[in-house]
mmCIF file of all heavy atoms in Angstrom:
data_model
loop_
_atom_site.group_PDB
_atom_site.id
_atom_site.type_symbol
_atom_site.label_atom_id
_atom_site.label_comp_id
_atom_site.label_asym_id
_atom_site.label_seq_id
_atom_site.Cartn_x
_atom_site.Cartn_y
_atom_site.Cartn_z
ATOM 1 N N GLU T 98 160.513 67.432 126.665
ATOM 2 C CA GLU T 98 159.801 68.518 127.323
ATOM 3 C C GLU T 98 159.585 69.690 126.366
ATOM 4 O O GLU T 98 158.511 70.310 126.366
ATOM 5 C CB GLU T 98 160.580 68.989 128.555
ATOM 6 C CG GLU T 98 159.916 70.108 129.345
ATOM 7 C CD GLU T 98 158.545 69.723 129.905
ATOM 8 O OE1 GLU T 98 158.272 68.523 130.078
ATOM 9 O OE2 GLU T 98 157.734 70.642 130.150
ATOM 10 N N MET T 99 160.574 69.981 125.545
ATOM 11 C CA MET T 99 160.413 71.075 124.595
ATOM 12 C C MET T 99 159.421 70.714 123.492
ATOM 13 O O MET T 99 158.679 71.566 123.013
ATOM 14 C CB MET T 99 161.769 71.491 124.044
ATOM 15 C CG MET T 99 162.606 72.212 125.096
ATOM 16 S SD MET T 99 164.205 72.805 124.506
ATOM 17 C CE MET T 99 164.761 73.745 125.947
ATOM 18 N N VAL T 100 159.372 69.450 123.099
ATOM 19 C CA VAL T 100 158.361 69.001 122.141
ATOM 20 C C VAL T 100 156.968 69.150 122.747
ATOM 21 O O VAL T 100 156.032 69.635 122.098
ATOM 22 C CB VAL T 100 158.617 67.538 121.721
ATOM 23 C CG1 VAL T 100 157.430 66.974 120.946
ATOM 24 C CG2 VAL T 100 159.888 67.448 120.872
ATOM 25 N N ARG T 101 156.818 68.746 124.001
ATOM 26 C CA ARG T 101 155.526 68.866 124.668
ATOM 27 C C ARG T 101 155.085 70.328 124.738
ATOM 28 O O ARG T 101 153.925 70.663 124.459
ATOM 29 C CB ARG T 101 155.611 68.279 126.088
ATOM 30 C CG ARG T 101 154.285 68.274 126.842
ATOM 31 C CD ARG T 101 154.494 68.077 128.327
ATOM 32 N NE ARG T 101 155.180 69.228 128.920
ATOM 33 C CZ ARG T 101 154.585 70.386 129.182
ATOM 34 N NH1 ARG T 101 153.310 70.580 128.887
ATOM 35 N NH2 ARG T 101 155.279 71.379 129.717
ATOM 36 N N THR T 102 156.009 71.212 125.091
ATOM 37 C CA THR T 102 155.695 72.635 125.197
ATOM 38 C C THR T 102 155.288 73.208 123.844
ATOM 39 O O THR T 102 154.331 73.983 123.741
ATOM 40 C CB THR T 102 156.909 73.407 125.741
ATOM 41 O OG1 THR T 102 157.254 72.889 127.039
ATOM 42 C CG2 THR T 102 156.613 74.892 125.858
ATOM 43 N N ALA T 103 156.012 72.838 122.785
ATOM 44 C CA ALA T 103 155.702 73.337 121.446
ATOM 45 C C ALA T 103 154.328 72.878 120.991
ATOM 46 O O ALA T 103 153.558 73.653 120.396
ATOM 47 C CB ALA T 103 156.770 72.877 120.454
ATOM 48 N N LYS T 104 153.983 71.639 121.258
ATOM 49 C CA LYS T 104 152.667 71.120 120.863
ATOM 50 C C LYS T 104 151.547 71.873 121.566
ATOM 51 O O LYS T 104 150.486 72.126 120.981
ATOM 52 C CB LYS T 104 152.579 69.631 121.175
ATOM 53 C CG LYS T 104 153.386 68.752 120.237
ATOM 54 C CD LYS T 104 153.247 67.281 120.605
ATOM 55 C CE LYS T 104 153.970 66.387 119.606
ATOM 56 N NZ LYS T 104 153.857 64.953 119.969
ATOM 57 N N ALA T 105 151.779 72.246 122.816
ATOM 58 C CA ALA T 105 150.759 72.987 123.567
ATOM 59 C C ALA T 105 150.585 74.395 123.006
ATOM 60 O O ALA T 105 149.471 74.918 122.931
ATOM 61 C CB ALA T 105 151.139 73.050 125.042
ATOM 62 N N LYS T 106 151.685 75.020 122.594
ATOM 63 C CA LYS T 106 151.634 76.375 122.054
ATOM 64 C C LYS T 106 151.087 76.415 120.631
ATOM 65 O O LYS T 106 150.420 77.373 120.241
ATOM 66 C CB LYS T 106 153.045 76.992 122.033
ATOM 67 C CG LYS T 106 153.629 77.351 123.376
ATOM 68 C CD LYS T 106 155.022 77.951 123.153
ATOM 69 C CE LYS T 106 155.670 78.402 124.438
ATOM 70 N NZ LYS T 106 157.024 78.958 124.187
ATOM 71 N N MET T 107 151.406 75.378 119.844
ATOM 72 C CA MET T 107 151.106 75.384 118.409
ATOM 73 C C MET T 107 150.433 74.081 118.003
ATOM 74 O O MET T 107 151.049 73.201 117.406
ATOM 75 C CB MET T 107 152.408 75.591 117.626
ATOM 76 C CG MET T 107 153.081 76.927 117.897
ATOM 77 S SD MET T 107 154.812 77.023 117.317
ATOM 78 C CE MET T 107 155.657 76.244 118.729
ATOM 79 N N PRO T 108 149.175 73.905 118.356
ATOM 80 C CA PRO T 108 148.498 72.618 118.159
ATOM 81 C C PRO T 108 148.397 72.165 116.707
ATOM 82 O O PRO T 108 148.266 70.961 116.447
ATOM 83 C CB PRO T 108 147.106 72.856 118.770
ATOM 84 C CG PRO T 108 146.946 74.333 118.844
ATOM 85 C CD PRO T 108 148.322 74.881 119.050
ATOM 86 N N ALA T 109 148.443 73.080 115.764
ATOM 87 C CA ALA T 109 148.357 72.682 114.352
ATOM 88 C C ALA T 109 149.719 72.318 113.766
ATOM 89 O O ALA T 109 149.799 71.851 112.626
ATOM 90 C CB ALA T 109 147.720 73.795 113.517
ATOM 91 N N GLY T 110 150.786 72.537 114.521
ATOM 92 C CA GLY T 110 152.117 72.188 114.050
ATOM 93 C C GLY T 110 152.409 70.710 114.247
ATOM 94 O O GLY T 110 151.687 69.998 114.959
ATOM 95 N N ILE T 111 153.458 70.238 113.613
ATOM 96 C CA ILE T 111 153.926 68.855 113.782
ATOM 97 C C ILE T 111 155.290 68.916 114.448
ATOM 98 O O ILE T 111 156.231 69.516 113.903
ATOM 99 C CB ILE T 111 154.028 68.136 112.428
ATOM 100 C CG1 ILE T 111 152.651 68.059 111.761
ATOM 101 C CG2 ILE T 111 154.627 66.741 112.603
ATOM 102 C CD1 ILE T 111 152.693 67.540 110.332
ATOM 103 N N PHE T 112 155.419 68.310 115.622
ATOM 104 C CA PHE T 112 156.658 68.380 116.393
ATOM 105 C C PHE T 112 157.089 66.973 116.789
ATOM 106 O O PHE T 112 156.317 66.213 117.377
ATOM 107 C CB PHE T 112 156.472 69.268 117.621
ATOM 108 C CG PHE T 112 156.114 70.678 117.254
ATOM 109 C CD1 PHE T 112 154.789 71.098 117.262
ATOM 110 C CD2 PHE T 112 157.086 71.576 116.855
ATOM 111 C CE1 PHE T 112 154.450 72.389 116.890
ATOM 112 C CE2 PHE T 112 156.762 72.870 116.483
ATOM 113 C CZ PHE T 112 155.438 73.273 116.495
ATOM 114 N N LEU T 113 158.331 66.646 116.455
ATOM 115 C CA LEU T 113 158.858 65.303 116.645
ATOM 116 C C LEU T 113 160.077 65.337 117.558
ATOM 117 O O LEU T 113 160.931 66.208 117.421
ATOM 118 C CB LEU T 113 159.265 64.696 115.295
ATOM 119 C CG LEU T 113 158.183 64.672 114.202
ATOM 120 C CD1 LEU T 113 158.813 64.248 112.875
ATOM 121 C CD2 LEU T 113 157.044 63.746 114.581
ATOM 122 N N GLN T 114 160.138 64.369 118.455
ATOM 123 C CA GLN T 114 161.337 64.226 119.272
ATOM 124 C C GLN T 114 162.348 63.405 118.490
ATOM 125 O O GLN T 114 162.098 62.247 118.135
ATOM 126 C CB GLN T 114 161.020 63.548 120.602
ATOM 127 C CG GLN T 114 162.254 63.462 121.516
ATOM 128 C CD GLN T 114 161.977 62.726 122.818
ATOM 129 O OE1 GLN T 114 160.886 62.198 123.026
ATOM 130 N NE2 GLN T 114 162.969 62.680 123.685
ATOM 131 N N HIS T 115 163.487 64.007 118.203
ATOM 132 C CA HIS T 115 164.490 63.341 117.381
ATOM 133 C C HIS T 115 165.807 64.083 117.508
ATOM 134 O O HIS T 115 165.840 65.313 117.578
ATOM 135 C CB HIS T 115 164.040 63.329 115.908
ATOM 136 C CG HIS T 115 165.034 62.709 114.980
ATOM 137 N ND1 HIS T 115 165.198 61.343 114.869
ATOM 138 C CD2 HIS T 115 165.929 63.266 114.105
ATOM 139 C CE1 HIS T 115 166.133 61.089 113.973
ATOM 140 N NE2 HIS T 115 166.600 62.237 113.505
ATOM 141 N N ASP T 116 166.908 63.347 117.528
ATOM 142 C CA ASP T 116 168.240 63.932 117.568
ATOM 143 C C ASP T 116 168.740 64.086 116.133
ATOM 144 O O ASP T 116 169.017 63.097 115.449
ATOM 145 C CB ASP T 116 169.185 63.033 118.366
ATOM 146 C CG ASP T 116 170.536 63.687 118.631
ATOM 147 O OD1 ASP T 116 170.875 64.663 117.925
ATOM 148 O OD2 ASP T 116 171.255 63.211 119.522
ATOM 149 N N PHE T 117 168.857 65.326 115.650
ATOM 150 C CA PHE T 117 169.229 65.546 114.250
ATOM 151 C C PHE T 117 170.673 65.155 113.965
ATOM 152 O O PHE T 117 171.098 65.190 112.798
ATOM 153 C CB PHE T 117 168.960 66.996 113.833
ATOM 154 C CG PHE T 117 169.755 68.034 114.574
ATOM 155 C CD1 PHE T 117 171.042 68.342 114.199
ATOM 156 C CD2 PHE T 117 169.186 68.712 115.640
ATOM 157 C CE1 PHE T 117 171.769 69.308 114.875
ATOM 158 C CE2 PHE T 117 169.901 69.686 116.321
ATOM 159 C CZ PHE T 117 171.201 69.984 115.934
#
Side-chain angles (χ1 to χ4, degrees):
E98 181 61 23
M99 289 183 173
V100 169
R101 184 197 67 76
T102 300
K104 287 180 176 179
K106 289 180 177 179
M107 297 165 277
I111 298 172
F112 299 98
L113 305 171
Q114 183 183 4
H115 178 77
D116 189 342
F117 63 83

